[in-house]
Amino acid sequence: MILTLVGVSNGTLHESARRARGTGADIFFRPPGTSVLSSLSSSPMSDKLPAILANEPHVVLATGTIVQPLELFDSITGFDMDQFAKMSGGFRFVQGGLPVQDTDLIVDEPYAREKHLQVGSTLNLISHQWRVSGIYLPGKAARICVKLAVLQDFTGNPHRLSQIYLKIDDPDRAQAVVDALRAKYPGYQIYTMEYFTSMLSVNNLGLLRNFTYVVIGIAMIVGFIVVFMAMYTAVLERTREIGILKAVGSSSGLILSMLMRETLLLAILGTVLGILLTYFTQWLMLHVVPNSLVQETVYAWWPIAAGVAIVGALIGAIIPGIKAVRQDATEALSYE
Amino acid sequence: MSETPIIQVRQLTKTYRVGDVDVQALRGVDLEVSRGEFIAVVGTSGSGKSTLFNILGGLTPPTSGSVHINGRDLSHMTNAERTNLRKDTVGFVFQKYNLLPTLSAEDNIKIVKYIGGHDTEFDAPFKEVLNLLGIADRLKHKPRALSGGQQQRVAIARAIVNRPAILLADEPTGNLDSQNSAAVLKLLKDLNERLGQTILMITHDEEAAAYSHRRVHMRDGQLL
Ligand SMILES: Nc1ncnc2c1ncn2[C@@H]1O[C@H](COP(=O)(O)OP(=O)(O)O)[C@@H](O)[C@H]1O
Ligand SMILES: [Mg+2]
């Protein structure tokens, strides 16, 4: 359970980073006053800006997008399809193609699978009816894309952009270009793609990190209690067996060491089983809700989860174990 | 050697404290048992028979009096010393067979050998004992797959595997039908005659007592 939770939070972020890289952009340009990570900004940049930025030294290409958040983890992104295709190398469609009509939209494959969409399917988003014109391979910045102008219209933000992607001639000079742009456009949030993706890790996301810690903490406590209680009752039920062992002459130390060895083995087996289970939940998430949560295997947490299981099991076993070996053999024998 | 009794009990008392009430289970028991004897202890329920056995086997300490087994004084032994006594000097057979349910019959016997610090392989004489007990072909089974009579015979094998000086059997036939009872009693008699095993057996049943050399009667915590 602990491993699943850690895996989900890490995986979801890494997936975001992967998608961001899929844009093919080198630099990220956002209006002042937004957080690095939110894609939920209002859209205060003029759509004249990309043309201006494209004339900056080293900038090859500049394309603006507008992002409209939907419920939960999804958002809908408006692209200048031609410009974006030039920057990212274009969408790779498995079905259909680019939007033709204004109310056409394209989605990535996992989203289509989750929502059972085909080319020609219709769906209702931000109070408009849309028709799916294409389904593309994932990893391209967004999951639901429409024409830029259409989304600007529908959201009441004509000629406004929420972020601009820049492509430069030499990706190794991204940081230098960012520095130059920062000097020229003070207040704007300008980052290299590298920096942006590095921000997308669990440890850099304050709120999400705290949330994850709370959830993991609860999972650890619950896991500990479950293991502890299971061992406690299991050993209590074996009080009689411990009495038998005493009656045939085994010392308390021998009984406890046998008990500990058995418990340790059990805890290790349980941990291995738990790890296998995370692979199952991973598979489950991939096939049942591919769009919202991505679970990763976080190897660093294996020993932590194993530690919780082993410590919980040993403490759960030793308490009734000591109780049983301390009491008179005749009493332990009469335990039903 | 056979001159000194293997068990020598003098003025033994045992008082259980249950809440504020003292229960006098034994009130001055005197008993001598020679090596190789087969003794039946008979008496009504609650007369203190099991208590006497538990003290002889070192499962509970006596309140006063002296108990010598094989020349060693039990009344001054620590818990650990009494545990050691059970390992090699005393074997127990209970009314409720008290086998470990998760182990096979064979492992139930072997774990006792292991606890006693012996090699867990059965030697030839012990294999003969297993044949005598009629369980040689049932050793791979778990206790629950065995009949009551078979379980009790496994329990007897377990009790004597470390060659204890005395075998204490507390109502060994209490849960068995008459046919199985007769078989188990005959086995005890055989063990006594062939191996010279000293046996003390508690029983309600006069018929069972008839297998022994000598009967002692117990009433209200005293031997008559
Ligand atoms: N562990 C104990 N705690 C308190 N009283 C006990 C305990 N064991 C036995 N007694 C009491 O001691 C007396 C003798 O019991 P026991 O030796 O079991 O008799 P028997 O085996 O002859 O039936 C009984 O009155 C019984 O209630
Ligand atoms: Mg009794």
Side-chain angles (χ1 to χ4, degrees), chain B residues 45-46 48-51 95 170-171 202:
Chain B
S45 179
K49 306 183 298 293
S50 296
T51 302
Q95 179 177 351
D170 190 343
E171 303 197 37
I202 292 176

Side-chain angles (χ1 to χ4, degrees), chain B residues 112-142:
Chain B
V112 176
K113 275 197 108 181
Y114 168 76
I115 290 166
H118 303 286
D119 173 29
T120 56
E121 282 311 308
F122 296 149
D123 53 16
F126 189 72
K127 282 185 183 150
E128 229 170 278
V129 170
L130 291 176
N131 279 325
L132 184 72
L133 291 168
I135 48 169
D137 57 337
R138 311 292 291 166
L139 288 177
K140 297 291 176 205
H141 293 75
K142 294 271 168 71

Side-chain angles (χ1 to χ4, degrees), chain A residues 238 240-252 254 258 261 326 328-330 333-334 336, chain B residues 54 59-61 79 83-84 86-87 90 92 94 96 98-102 111-112 114-115 158 162:
Chain A
R238 298 178 67 180
R240 186 187 173 80
E241 286 179 49
I242 291 172
I244 295 173
L245 286 173
K246 281 191 81 173
V248 299
S250 39
S251 65
S252 304
L254 182 62
M258 286 198 278
R261 269 180 286 165
R326 278 236 183 105
D328 230 52
T330 51
L333 278 176
S334 58
E336 292 300 332
Chain B
N54 290 341
L59 288 173
T60 33
N79 230 322
T83 298
N84 260 327
R86 287 196 298 275
K87 223 157 66 175
V90 184
F92 267 105
F94 302 93
K96 300 172 179 171
N98 277 341
L99 298 173
L100 295 167
T102 51
I111 196 172
V112 176
Y114 168 76
I115 290 166
R158 175 181 69 178
N162 287 338

Side-chain angles (χ1 to χ4, degrees), chain A:
Chain A
M1 180 161 77
I2 300 167
L3 291 175
T4 301
L5 284 168
V6 177
V8 167
S9 50
N10 265 354
T12 305
L13 284 168
H14 290 176
E15 171 64 14
S16 305
R18 198 168 65 83
R19 260 185 290 147
R21 279 191 216 104
T23 56
D26 301 308
I27 292 173
F28 220 64
F29 199 97
R30 282 192 164 181
T34 51
S35 138
V36 191
L37 291 164
S38 79
S39 46
L40 318 179
S41 59
S42 52
S43 314
M45 290 189 295
S46 160
D47 63 0
K48 304 265 173 0
L49 206 51
I52 299 167
L53 289 171
N55 288 325
E56 292 293 334
H58 302 295
V59 176
V60 182
L61 215 61
T63 181
T65 67
I66 180 163
V67 177
Q68 174 66 30
L70 301 173
E71 79 277 18
L72 231 58
F73 301 95
D74 291 335
S75 58
I76 180 167
T77 309
F79 280 111
D80 183 327
M81 294 291 171
D82 294 338
Q83 291 270 23
F84 185 73
K86 263 188 241 165
M87 178 173 290
S88 66
F91 293 101
R92 299 233 306 281
F93 287 99
V94 291
Q95 246 187 68
L98 289 171
V100 182
Q101 308 288 323
D102 281 352
T103 55
D104 283 353
L105 58 67
I106 55 178
V107 297
D108 74 357
E109 204 186 7
Y111 188 85
R113 207 178 329 134
E114 188 193 337
K115 297 274 153 92
H116 306 291
L117 296 175
Q118 306 284 335
V119 169
S121 307
T122 56
L123 74 163
N124 210 320
L125 294 172
I126 52 168
S127 330
H128 285 84
Q129 189 79 11
W130 305 84
R131 195 187 72 93
V132 176
S133 75
I135 296 169
Y136 58 91
L137 291 175
K140 288 287 185 215
R143 300 198 130 142
I144 312 167
C145 306
V146 299
K147 287 185 175 181
L148 178 63
V150 178
L151 193 59
Q152 284 173 331
D153 255 12
F154 283 179
T155 57
N157 291 304
H159 306 298
R160 299 262 144 204
L161 297 173
S162 46
Q163 64 196 23
I164 299 169
Y165 296 112
L166 303 182
K167 194 172 180 65
I168 57 176
D169 51 5
D170 179 5
D172 291 339
R173 306 188 48 177
Q175 192 55 50
V177 177
V178 164
D179 293 341
L181 288 174
R182 279 192 185 147
K184 194 159 176 189
Y185 302 92
Y188 281 90
Q189 314 256 335
I190 308 164
Y191 304 99
T192 64
M193 188 54 74
E194 222 167 302
Y195 176 76
F196 176 75
T197 53
S198 77
M199 289 298 285
L200 284 174
S201 75
V202 174
N203 291 335
N204 276 318
L205 260 177
L207 189 66
L208 184 59
R209 183 183 53 200
N210 289 342
F211 171 75
T212 328
Y213 281 176
V214 168
V215 173
I216 291 171
I218 292 171
M220 280 174 75
I221 292 166
V222 170
F224 179 85
I225 291 173
V226 166
V227 172
F228 175 87
M229 287 309 291
M231 280 318 293
Y232 189 91
T233 48
V235 174
L236 208 61
E237 275 168 11
R238 298 178 67 180
T239 298
R240 186 187 173 80
E241 286 179 49
I242 291 172
I244 295 173
L245 286 173
K246 281 191 81 173
V248 299
S250 39
S251 65
S252 304
L254 182 62
I255 294 174
L256 283 182
S257 91
M258 286 198 278
L259 191 67
M260 289 300 103
R261 269 180 286 165
E262 205 179 293
T263 306
L264 202 65
L265 193 73
L266 219 64
I268 290 170
L269 279 179
T271 308
V272 170
L273 209 69
I275 287 170
L276 292 180
L277 208 64
T278 64
Y279 283 100
F280 174 71
T281 60
Q282 218 167 355
W283 177 88
L284 210 65
M285 284 189 201
L286 201 66
H287 288 83
V288 180
V289 284
N291 201 24
S292 40
L293 295 172
V294 181
Q295 186 189 346
E296 268 184 6
T297 310
V298 186
Y299 300 99
W301 274 81
W302 285 12
I304 300 176
V308 169
I310 289 168
V311 170
L314 287 181
I315 295 177
I318 200 136
I319 290 174
I322 286 176
K323 241 171 76 180
V325 297
R326 278 236 183 105
Q327 83 190 150
D328 230 52
T330 51
E331 276 165 46
L333 278 176
S334 58
Y335 185 92
E336 292 300 332

